DNA sequence: ATGGTAGACCTTCTA
């Protein structure tokens, strides 16, 4: 079973590119982030015609996440628990039905820039809420995949020029510590476990020729419960997609589970 | 060198 995550940077502005990739890669499940539209504007029919069931947690202009699956989606949850006043659409979760059900959570973790503002505080608070929620999910002792745009560069080897990121929210010690705390709950980084090649990136900025210079960062991750990690066959970054016409600044990450 | 680009949307915010 192939489970993908991809920050598409507006699903409607990118629809042609996104559908092309879906036809080529044909993931069984996909988590999309930054769809940048409300539920009614999501191109549901286009994905249904490719054979997907669709769940959307949209928002006007910013954020927005979606979950697509060839198998039916059950037990859908929209929004990260822990703060009823949080109106940002950054979390969607469902159980992928089948002989071996898998729970998949799609996340769009807050960027948090600039450091020292309420945005950075929101990022850290959101990560604590994710940690609390993940604890509960891990207690179910099921195959679980928490995949998405984490907006965290875990290690210096996950970027090209660490000094350039020193003051960025994505590389702050607190952000990295919160990411480690998630892993310490018992979650496995699928890419490191399956491949682990340093300087493998999932994002290249649109600015300053970042793609041409390979000035990238690895910020899209898939964390696996022990029961999912036992099933891990592989994990690939679809790097070439960044070179397509009208690309997102992120590329898809695909986890393959033996299901 | 404090730039550069992209998307949503209405003047600037977010990334």
């Amino acid at each position: 079973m192939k489970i993908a995550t991809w920050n598409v940077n507006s699903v409607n502005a990118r629809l042609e590119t996104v559908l092309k990739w879906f036809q080529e890669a044909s993931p069984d499940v996909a988590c999309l982030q930054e769809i940048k539209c409300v539920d009614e504007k999501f191109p549901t029919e286009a994905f249904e015609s490719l054979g997907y069931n669709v769940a959307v947690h949209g928002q006007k202009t910013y954020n927005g996440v979606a979950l697509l699956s060839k198998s039916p989606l059950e037990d859908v949850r929209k929004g990260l628990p822990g703060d009823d006043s949080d109106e940002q659409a950054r979390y969607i979760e469902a159980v992928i039905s089948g002989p071996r059900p898998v729970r998949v959570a799609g996340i769009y973790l807050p960027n948090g820039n600039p450091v020292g503002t309420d945005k950075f505080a929101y990022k850290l608070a959101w990560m604590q809420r994710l940690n609390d929620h993940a604890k509960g999910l891990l207690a179910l002792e099921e195959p679980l995949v928490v995949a998405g745009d984490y907006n965290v560069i875990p290690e210096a080897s996950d970027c090209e020029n660490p000094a350039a990121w020193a003051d960025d929210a994505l590389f702050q010690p607190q952000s990295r510590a919160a990411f480690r705390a998630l892993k310490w709950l018992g979650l496995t980084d699928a890419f490191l476990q399956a491949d682990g090649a340093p300087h493998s990136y999932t994002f290249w900025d649109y600015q300053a020729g970042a793609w041409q210079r390979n000035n990238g960062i690895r910020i899209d991750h898939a964390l696996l419960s022990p029961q999912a990690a036992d099933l891990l066959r592989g994990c690939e970054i679809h790097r070439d997609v960044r070179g397509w016409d009208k690309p997102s600044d992120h590329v898809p990450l695909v986890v393959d589970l033996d299901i």
Side-chain angles (χ1 to χ4, degrees):
Chain A
M1 173 186 277
K2 288 195 165 73
I3 303 173
T5 175
W6 192 9
N7 179 323
V8 294
N9 187 19
S10 172
V11 70
N12 285 309
R14 201 85 49 218
L15 190 56
E16 203 177 329
T17 307
V18 170
L19 293 177
K20 181 187 169 192
W21 181 79
F22 270 82
Q23 282 170 319
E24 285 190 17
S26 193
D28 299 289
V29 180
C31 309
L32 301 183
Q33 300 90 38
E34 277 207 274
I35 61 172
K36 290 188 172 179
C37 64
V38 294
D39 293 13
E40 303 75 51
K41 296 276 179 70
F42 188 84
T44 300
E45 294 77 10
F47 286 103
E48 285 177 344
S49 69
L50 293 180
Y52 291 96
N53 299 283
V54 179
V56 183
H57 184 34
Q59 183 181 336
K60 186 179 158 72
T61 310
Y62 303 121
N63 311 317
V65 287
L67 208 41
L68 312 171
S69 170
K70 291 180 179 174
S71 300
L73 294 159
E74 295 170 354
D75 200 11
V76 176
R77 168 188 280 281
K78 299 178 182 181
L80 182 63
D83 182 359
D84 293 340
S85 68
D86 184 2
E87 293 178 348
Q88 300 191 29
R90 296 178 174 275
Y91 186 92
I92 189 164
E93 173 193 316
V95 173
I96 312 301
S97 63
R100 189 82 205 264
V102 184
R103 188 179 298 268
V104 175
I107 73 162
Y108 177 43
L109 206 146
N111 176 295
N113 278 304
V115 173
T117 65
D118 55 351
K119 289 184 183 176
F120 189 60
Y122 174 67
K123 178 188 190 122
L124 296 179
W126 203 94
M127 292 185 84
Q128 182 59 57
R129 285 164 58 199
L130 181 61
N131 189 301
D132 292 342
H133 186 56
K135 252 181 236 169
L137 295 181
L138 281 163
L140 300 172
E141 301 191 344
E142 298 169 344
L144 164 73
V145 179
V146 183
D149 177 359
Y150 278 74
N151 268 316
V152 174
I153 303 167
E155 301 294 337
S157 59
D158 294 313
C159 64
E160 199 64 14
N161 180 12
W165 295 95
D167 296 327
D168 197 284
L170 279 59
F171 198 51
Q172 286 308 292
Q174 293 135 295
S175 309
R176 297 169 61 196
F179 184 75
R180 287 197 298 274
L182 273 173
K183 299 214 294 182
W184 287 337
L185 295 177
L187 293 164
T188 297
D189 184 322
F191 182 75
L192 292 185
Q193 186 71 17
D195 179 324
H199 304 287
S200 300
Y201 308 131
T202 64
F203 169 95
W204 296 260
D205 202 286
Y206 289 119
Q207 301 181 73
W211 167 244
Q212 289 76 10
R213 297 160 188 252
N214 193 32
N215 183 17
I217 52 179
R218 190 173 73 95
I219 55 173
D220 298 271
H221 308 294
L223 298 186
L224 313 179
S225 70
Q227 294 77 12
D230 286 345
L231 302 170
L232 181 64
R233 268 201 292 240
C235 182
E236 290 183 344
I237 296 169
H238 286 213
R239 186 180 193 281
D240 292 352
V241 177
R242 186 63 176 81
W244 290 6
D245 289 338
K246 268 190 75 88
S248 169
D249 39 8
H250 297 250
V251 296
L253 176 79
V254 183
V255 177
D256 191 11
L257 297 184
D258 188 16
I259 295 180

